[in-house]
Amino acid sequence: MKTLVTGAAGFIGFFVAKVLLGKGHTVVGLDNINDYYDVNLKYARLQELGIAKSDAQTAGVLSSSTHPAFSFVRMGLEDREALPKLFKDQGFDVVCNLAAQAGVRYSLENPEAYIDSNVVGFLNILECCRHHNIKHLVYASSSSVYGLNEKIPFETTDSVDHPVSLYAATKKSNELMAHSYSHLYGFKTTGLRFFTVYGPWGRPDMAMFLFTDAIIKGKPIKVFNQGKLERDFTYIDDITEGVVRILETSIDDTIDKTALYKVYNIGNSKSVKLMDFIAAIEDSLETTATKDMMAMQPGDVEKTWANVDDLIADYGYRPNTPIKEGVQRFVDWYTDFYNVQVIP
């Protein structure tokens, strides 16, 4: 199977590419390597895939030095000329679209970036899938589409008509756009509403990274809504296993062969109190954090919790990484990657 993984220098895209390669598939990674967060982390992920930093800054399709079945191209989804050419030249079987402008709070500051990448870029992906015989498009949606939904746990049948951030609005638009393309042009699209993903190589703007970094450096951590938050924290390996399982499943093997369009929740299927998550980090670091208790931030929601019954039924998805284990793996990676010593 030949797969295009967009956002391959990003957190989830990097892991999806690694797992696909480990299972013998051919992967082309695409990323624009923007500076939303430290680009050195993105280049380090690519280095793990055999693409040197000096090469990743050049144009063209680059071959990996360590994975014969992996190649990489630096490109933005907004490039309406180069993207169709890539599809034509490479002949992909399936596409995994994980490239997007991420972050809820940043969408308040730079809304244009979200429309360019998440709406215009996604349209370009859909058009390429339409014109180049792509069998299946699997794409990233987000739990943020549920907005201020108070029904717990969140189910894909719940209303998503009230997003509270532009980021969430762009993700809902992706689902609507995919639905129309599946209906009009007859190719399969699967949207995945990711819940809070954490683990090694994670994004520096996410809670796991921010808390660990601050605690190690002896700085206070910002705890929003006075700590009265709950999240469906999901370890990266559980997320990746689900994504790859969907990508590997032939359309002929799906449960409902008439359902070209489908949206799933993908999460840990339980809600964890933010203060318990912080406590797991403190235990791992053997250090007590200084906490600055803050008000709720615009665009945030108080609680998330994924019902993943459909994903279990259709694909046998089984998240099974305990929070303490996942947190310890992240801390081990962080201290090794940044070469820091934890002093209790």
Side-chain angles (χ1 to χ4, degrees), residues 72-291:
F72 174 78
V73 58
R74 182 167 186 169
M75 185 187 298
L77 298 185
E78 306 93 321
D79 195 329
R80 198 166 287 170
E81 294 184 3
L83 194 63
K85 186 176 186 304
L86 181 70
F87 271 71
K88 181 180 178 180
D89 293 345
Q90 295 294 327
F92 303 117
D93 298 309
V94 296
V95 173
C96 184
N97 184 54
L98 300 172
Q101 178 57 60
V104 170
R105 291 168 192 151
Y106 186 62
S107 68
L108 304 174
E109 305 169 17
N110 193 0
E112 293 84 3
Y114 289 78
I115 299 302
D116 291 343
S117 179
N118 301 7
V119 179
V120 175
F122 190 66
L123 173 63
N124 293 341
I125 285 286
L126 288 169
E127 277 288 283
C128 286
C129 290
R130 168 194 173 190
H131 290 294
H132 295 280
N133 196 33
I134 300 302
K135 299 173 183 175
H136 192 182
L137 167 64
V138 178
Y139 64 94
S141 185
S142 169
S143 62
S144 66
V145 300
Y146 290 106
L148 298 177
N149 180 39
E150 295 182 353
K151 176 179 167 292
I152 296 295
F154 296 168
E155 300 185 41
T156 54
T157 54
D158 293 342
S159 171
V160 289
D161 292 335
H162 303 285
V164 294
S165 70
L166 181 63
Y167 172 71
T170 65
K171 288 301 183 179
K172 180 184 176 181
S173 75
N174 288 173
E175 296 179 1
L176 295 173
M177 293 161 73
H179 183 276
S180 64
Y181 268 71
S182 285
H183 173 73
L184 290 170
Y185 306 115
F187 65 89
K188 185 173 179 62
T189 62
T190 301
L192 298 175
R193 292 175 178 172
F194 291 110
F195 283 67
T196 311
V197 188
Y198 75 100
W201 298 96
R203 283 175 20 213
D205 63 319
M206 297 294 284
M208 175 84 257
F209 198 111
L210 291 170
F211 291 158
T212 302
D213 183 71
I215 294 171
I216 287 176
K217 293 176 179 177
K219 298 179 180 179
I221 62 174
K222 295 180 179 180
V223 183
F224 294 107
N225 199 36
Q226 309 300 318
K228 298 175 182 177
L229 295 173
E230 295 184 35
R231 292 289 182 267
D232 193 322
F233 290 105
T234 314
Y235 189 65
I236 184 61
D237 286 1
D238 293 330
I239 288 286
T240 305
E241 189 272 338
V243 174
V244 171
R245 185 170 292 210
I246 293 168
L247 287 168
E248 286 187 319
T249 302
S250 164
I251 295 174
D252 295 333
D253 294 332
T254 54
I255 303 300
D256 184 356
K257 298 178 178 61
T258 65
L260 288 176
Y261 170 83
K262 189 79 175 183
V263 173
Y264 294 95
N265 289 333
I266 182 166
N268 198 37
S269 193
K270 59 176 66 72
S271 197
V272 177
K273 293 180 180 179
L274 179 63
M275 297 307 292
D276 290 343
F277 188 69
I278 293 172
I281 301 172
E282 291 175 320
D283 289 345
S284 183
L285 294 172
E286 298 182 358
T287 304
T288 300
T290 301
K291 305 172 185 69

